[in-house]
Amino acid sequence: IARRKNQELRRKFGIESFVEKHHFKQLMQILRTLDAKSRLSELDSIWLKVEGREYQTDEIWHAYHRIEADFYISEYKKTCDPWQAVNASAHLRKCAAAASAVELLSAIPVKDQEHAKLKSAIRTTHGGALRDLGKRTDALKMGAEAHALQPNNFRPCTLLGALNIEQGNIEEGHNWYLMAEARGAKRDSIEYELRSLLLRMSEDKRHATIAELLRIAPREYGWLRRPLKR
């Protein structure tokens, strides 16, 4: 019975591959925690991202981000601290609930907030959620406002970089990514985001975008000459 339950739990979270014996106990503990809709400990989260990365699945991360989002929503309702809503929205975006993030952030009276950092974070996260929903014009406006509030913060720059490339403004998008990197964004993170962005495009648009990026900065985007992997 226990073996059957373990198999059912692994299927539920999309783990079809063989699990190493020395990983089994830790992995099953994580799956049971997520199945109970409880938050993972910091140690479990780190284990999954590092030692257990071969067992990461969309189902696991969807459940993880949904649970984290619900936690921060609860904290926001208790404290009325807008940062909790920003945290919740970041997780909502990662579990296909961008519309809920927009609804949550739209209810915050941004103009009443005193700190530019918080105002910028709200607009950046709101803009990201709008981008997820395909509302790129509104997302660009949010990104521009976020950047004006915090010119030295890289997060609005990465948002504006992605949005411009999606809209075909390749050189402008490239320039925003350069600004993001100059402000502290990691090159690996930018490449990961750009790869995800390109993989969501139609084949024709993807090839045209890659060709233009290679024309603009052949050395910097040399990795795009290799086949993209999800």
Side-chain angles (χ1 to χ4, degrees):
I1 292 172
R3 188 180 297 113
R4 187 171 68 247
K5 285 183 177 179
N6 284 342
Q7 289 172 345
E8 289 172 355
L9 199 56
R10 286 165 59 188
R11 276 197 297 271
K12 177 177 179 178
F13 287 100
I15 298 176
E16 304 292 344
S17 59
F18 176 76
V19 178
E20 298 288 346
K21 186 176 181 180
H22 59 287
H23 288 157
F24 188 81
K25 184 177 179 181
Q26 180 81 49
L27 179 63
M28 293 311 300
Q29 174 184 305
I30 288 171
L31 298 188
R32 291 189 192 100
T33 301
L34 294 174
D35 193 49
K37 293 182 169 44
S38 297
R39 298 180 77 203
L40 294 185
S41 69
E42 187 176 355
L43 287 176
D44 282 343
S45 179
I46 291 171
W47 182 89
L48 189 59
K49 292 172 183 175
V50 181
E51 194 171 347
R53 59 186 177 275
E54 64 186 286
Y55 308 115
Q56 294 178 20
T57 64
D58 290 344
E59 291 86 349
I60 284 176
W61 286 121
H62 187 283
Y64 168 80
H65 288 298
R66 183 69 251 186
I67 291 164
E68 289 297 300
D70 289 341
F71 169 77
Y72 285 113
I73 289 169
S74 175
E75 289 297 298
Y76 176 57
K77 288 178 178 177
K78 285 190 290 187
T79 65
C80 295
D81 177 3
W83 279 113
Q84 304 296 346
V86 171
N87 291 335
S89 297
H91 287 288
L92 286 167
R93 290 184 60 202
K94 294 175 182 177
C95 63
S100 297
V102 169
E103 183 179 356
L104 183 64
L105 294 168
S106 296
I108 299 175
V110 180
K111 291 181 180 178
D112 295 344
Q113 308 305 317
E114 295 180 6
H115 302 292
K117 184 177 180 180
L118 174 57
K119 289 181 179 180
S120 179
I122 292 171
R123 283 174 168 83
T124 302
T125 310
H126 197 162
L130 288 166
R131 176 194 166 209
D132 295 343
L133 297 173
K135 298 180 179 179
R136 294 190 181 91
T137 301
D138 293 336
L140 279 167
K141 181 174 179 291
M142 287 284 181
E145 290 176 1
H147 177 64
L149 285 161
Q150 288 269 280
N152 294 320
N153 190 317
F154 70 82
R155 292 172 182 84
C157 298
T158 56
L159 172 62
L160 290 166
L163 284 163
N164 274 285
I165 286 177
E166 284 177 338
Q167 291 196 315
N169 305 319
I170 312 302
E171 188 155 5
E172 188 170 352
H174 163 70
N175 289 334
W176 278 112
Y177 276 138
L178 287 181
M179 290 173 65
E181 192 169 4
R183 286 157 175 74
K186 301 295 184 186
R187 167 51 45 184
D188 288 351
S189 298
I190 292 173
E191 287 186 8
Y192 177 83
E193 180 177 288
L194 184 54
R195 181 182 292 106
S196 299
L197 183 160
L198 290 165
L199 285 168
R200 289 195 297 271
M201 292 180 177
S202 67
E203 188 174 356
D204 288 347
K205 185 176 180 181
R206 180 165 61 249
H207 289 324
T209 302
I210 289 173
E212 182 63 7
L213 287 169
L214 286 170
R215 185 193 67 77
I216 293 166
R219 196 170 183 179
E220 188 172 354
Y221 295 109
W223 58 276
L224 287 173
R225 292 190 177 92
R226 300 187 296 273
L228 293 179
K229 295 181 180 179
R230 294 185 182 277

